[in-house]
Amino acid sequence: MSIQELATVILAAGKGTRMKSDCPKVLHPLVGKPLAAYPVRLAQELGCSPTVMVVGHQVERVQQQFADEDIVFVHQEQQLGTGHAFQISHQVLKDFSGTVLLLCGDVPLLRCQTIDEMLQAHASAGAAVSVLTANMEDPRGYGRIVRSGAEIEHIVEEKDASAEEKKITEINTGIYALEVPLAFELLGQLSNDNAQGEYYLTDIIALARTQGYKVVASTLDDVSEAMGINDRVQLAQAAAIMRERINYAHMVAGVTLIDPATTYIDDSVKIGVDTVIYPGAHLRGNTTIGSNCVVETGVVIDSCSIGNDSYIKAGSALEEADLGEHSTIGPMAHLRPGTVLCGNNKIGNFVETKKAVIGERSQASHLTYIGDAELGRDVNLGCGTITCNYDGVNKHKTVIEDGVFVGSDTQFIAPVTIGRNSLIGAGSTITKDVPADALALSRSEQKVIAGWCKRKK
Ligand code: UD1
Ligand code: CA
């Protein structure tokens, strides 16, 4: 792409009335990211500078969401229409000369290549304005492209369209390439004499054409890219399309998805070959899963790193945990932030871990809580081991060195350190440090009263 100067304006000021929500439309999440993050990423991929976002409804919330991005915000105080919204961006672009790519905050499925092709057609035609169009089976709700012969003549909004015009299936995607400053000059001539009393950006097509400027309508191939999100039905439909793309890419790259339609993977997730993902798994955020792993049904993994050959059994929840190779987790285990498994570990059913570093080959197979702890290698925690890490005010640490064997139903009252190769008898409450190679035991001796039950009856 050899366009010299390319800026982007993203329209995101509308309330999104049809969402019926307190949350601005462009912040509604689609597969783990707010709607408007998609055009923002597109602008980044295309190397646009500057990226201008027109905000209006709940400005603070929208700006805060994108505070870390290289975006210039402009405030459209009253939402007087898409033409007015673009006009507002003049504040930032008054010294800019070149092509402006106009994107909508509510059109998330566009591919970079599609826009690239439109920009190339725009440049090679020497167009003043180009619009991206699509042929839709059901064009309801969209502006229609009225052509005269092969050339675009104007765009008519559904609410202003005649019965004849409503039959047109070629629609306006709301995406344009505009030569600036010319486009701003044309915008000055917009009127709001239409069904909605708004300044329509769509009218720029007829304005440019009647004044002798070149106008191009590029039609995209994959209609699904054109989808605009106006209500929650379309939000769910777009999410399904986005997931289909993500899941397709994983399968082609060597990951088995037993049922891709019910597998929920954010596009930031990386998965190695020969890993098998069962239905109903949710893989979110900055998660990396190695090769040859299994993730069973109902598992939620958020921002974790999982080593090769690991097996995550049904119903487990993992968050900000780092798992070495050959980890076996669950079913129904809960790995919370700060969990680090060094490799060949087993964390079994109903085990919860938090801020816990667990050495190689160490295991906790049943009903256990490990929090604020450091375990060495080859440690075996019996069923029902609990680190009592919190005294109601502060958190304290439990250290269990290499080779320790902990009998079932043991509590460690932190801070406490258990020396290497020692053994803790079942049912103990450990309040003091235990030296290496020792046996520690804290339980009252068993009493047996012969014949007691018989006498009771
Ligand atoms: C618009 C187009 C329509 C097209 C459709 C594609 C116009 C007049 N109509 O209709 O031809 O088929 O998109 O999805 O352009 N916005 C502002 N400020 C405003 C008004 C809107 O920033 O004053 C933003 C909205 O937040 C949204 C985008 O512009 O991101 C589109 O606005 P919306 O009201 O959804 O337009 P549509 O009715 O969908
Ligand atoms: Ca829309």
Side-chain angles (χ1 to χ4, degrees):
M1 190 71 249
S2 61
I3 284 179
Q4 286 300 301
E5 295 289 339
L6 182 63
T8 311
V9 173
I10 300 171
L11 303 188
K15 180 169 187 284
T17 313
R18 290 162 279 184
M19 294 298 281
K20 305 217 167 74
S21 175
D22 287 337
C23 173
K25 174 164 76 176
V26 293
L27 295 190
H28 274 262
L30 179 87
V31 193
K33 274 199 298 229
L35 274 180
Y38 290 91
V40 168
R41 184 177 61 180
L42 195 56
Q44 285 164 350
E45 283 172 352
L46 290 159
C48 296
S49 178
T51 296
V52 183
M53 192 185 279
V54 182
V55 289
H57 181 68
Q58 295 197 32
V59 188
E60 292 81 20
R61 230 170 131 181
V62 179
Q63 279 186 226
Q64 196 188 355
Q65 177 70 47
F66 296 102
D68 295 340
E69 307 286 347
D70 188 9
I71 293 175
V72 187
F73 294 97
V74 290
H75 190 185
Q76 184 193 24
E77 273 168 43
Q78 274 183 296
Q79 281 82 64
L80 302 178
T82 48
H84 180 255
F86 178 54
Q87 225 159 8
I88 298 272
S89 72
H90 185 251
Q91 297 167 19
V92 178
L93 297 173
K94 56 182 184 299
D95 298 323
F96 179 86
S97 166
T99 306
V100 172
L101 170 64
L102 187 120
L103 300 173
C104 285
D106 64 347
V107 180
L109 298 176
L110 288 165
R111 287 191 170 91
C112 189
Q113 198 195 332
T114 303
I115 299 299
D116 212 38
E117 282 165 14
M118 166 179 140
L119 291 171
Q120 287 191 42
H122 174 80
S124 63
V129 180
S130 293
V131 57
L132 189 65
T133 74
N135 286 299
M136 287 220 172
E137 236 169 78
D138 179 7
R140 270 177 302 170
Y142 292 95
R144 309 295 208 283
I145 304 297
V146 181
R147 290 190 185 248
S148 141
E151 300 291 305
I152 179 168
E153 197 169 77
H154 65 276
I155 299 175
V156 60
E157 287 306 291
E158 165 132 329
K159 287 182 178 141
D160 302 292
S162 65
E164 232 9 72
E165 287 168 331
K166 279 184 187 150
K167 289 184 194 150
I168 299 172
T169 53
E170 188 181 7
I171 62 100
N172 170 25
T173 64
I175 310 303
Y176 311 80
L178 303 144
E179 285 311 300
V180 158
L182 175 63
F184 286 119
E185 285 157 26
L186 293 170
L187 275 179
Q189 304 166 35
L190 282 188
S191 90
N192 63 352
D193 181 17
N194 53 51
Q196 305 188 76
E198 288 185 359
Y199 294 93
Y200 291 166
L201 182 53
T202 47
D203 288 346
I204 201 170
I205 301 288
L207 280 174
R209 204 184 48 80
T210 53
Q211 287 167 51
Y213 296 106
K214 178 86 183 160
V215 175
V216 168
S218 299
T219 310
L220 50 69
D221 300 325
D222 177 1
V223 220
S224 71
E225 289 185 52
M227 196 169 175
I229 312 302
N230 294 319
D231 59 33
R232 296 188 202 233
V233 175
Q234 290 168 324
L235 182 67
Q237 288 166 342
I241 294 168
M242 187 56 79
R243 282 199 304 270
E244 209 174 286
R245 285 188 195 171
I246 294 168
N247 291 351
Y248 181 92
H250 284 297
M251 290 187 284
V252 167
V255 178
T256 296
L257 305 183
I258 304 285
D259 179 16
T262 57
T263 305
Y264 305 85
I265 307 177
D266 286 0
D267 73 349
S268 41
V269 173
K270 296 187 177 70
I271 310 174
V273 296
D274 287 327
T275 285
V276 179
I277 316 280
Y278 279 76
H282 294 252
L283 311 180
R284 298 177 183 152
N286 190 21
T287 289
T288 306
I289 298 179
S291 56
N292 211 32
C293 294
V294 177
V295 177
E296 286 187 351
T297 296
V299 168
V300 180
I301 301 178
D302 193 344
S303 304
C304 292
S305 149
I306 295 179
N308 299 336
D309 304 302
S310 292
Y311 202 115
I312 320 295
K313 293 184 186 167
S316 297
L318 288 67
E319 191 188 347
E320 291 171 39
D322 187 347
L323 282 60
E325 299 195 347
H326 292 282
S327 304
T328 304
I329 309 298
M332 274 145 327
H334 188 188
L335 274 50
R336 293 169 49 204
T339 297
V340 177
L341 307 185
C342 295
N344 291 289
N345 299 100
K346 183 178 176 204
I347 302 295
N349 45 193
F350 305 106
V351 174
E352 175 181 346
T353 63
K354 183 217 73 171
K355 272 197 196 157
V357 178
I358 299 179
E360 281 177 75
R361 293 178 301 278
S362 291
Q363 46 184 307
S365 299
H366 338 262
L367 301 164
T368 285
Y369 173 64
I370 315 170
D372 301 297
E374 204 180 295
L375 273 61
R377 300 172 177 199
D378 301 300
V379 170
N380 186 75
L381 300 185
C383 176
T385 299
I386 297 170
T387 55
C388 305
N389 57 329
Y390 187 46
D391 61 13
V393 183
N394 295 308
K395 300 278 170 71
H396 302 283
K397 194 167 173 184
T398 301
V399 176
I400 302 177
E401 294 179 358
D402 296 349
V404 171
F405 184 94
V406 178
S408 296
D409 189 26
T410 292
Q411 305 91 51
F412 293 103
I413 313 295
V416 70
T417 297
I418 313 302
R420 25 183 319 151
N421 298 326
S422 56
L423 192 148
I424 311 295
S428 295
T429 301
I430 300 296
T431 54
K432 291 180 230 149
D433 289 355
V434 176
D437 302 309
L439 166 68
L441 194 61
S442 79
R443 48 168 118 107
S444 48
E445 248 178 82
Q446 184 171 323
K447 250 187 229 164
V448 176
I449 303 169
W452 189 89
C453 291
K454 217 171 180 179
R455 284 200 297 278
K456 235 350 202 193
K457 282 177 202 152

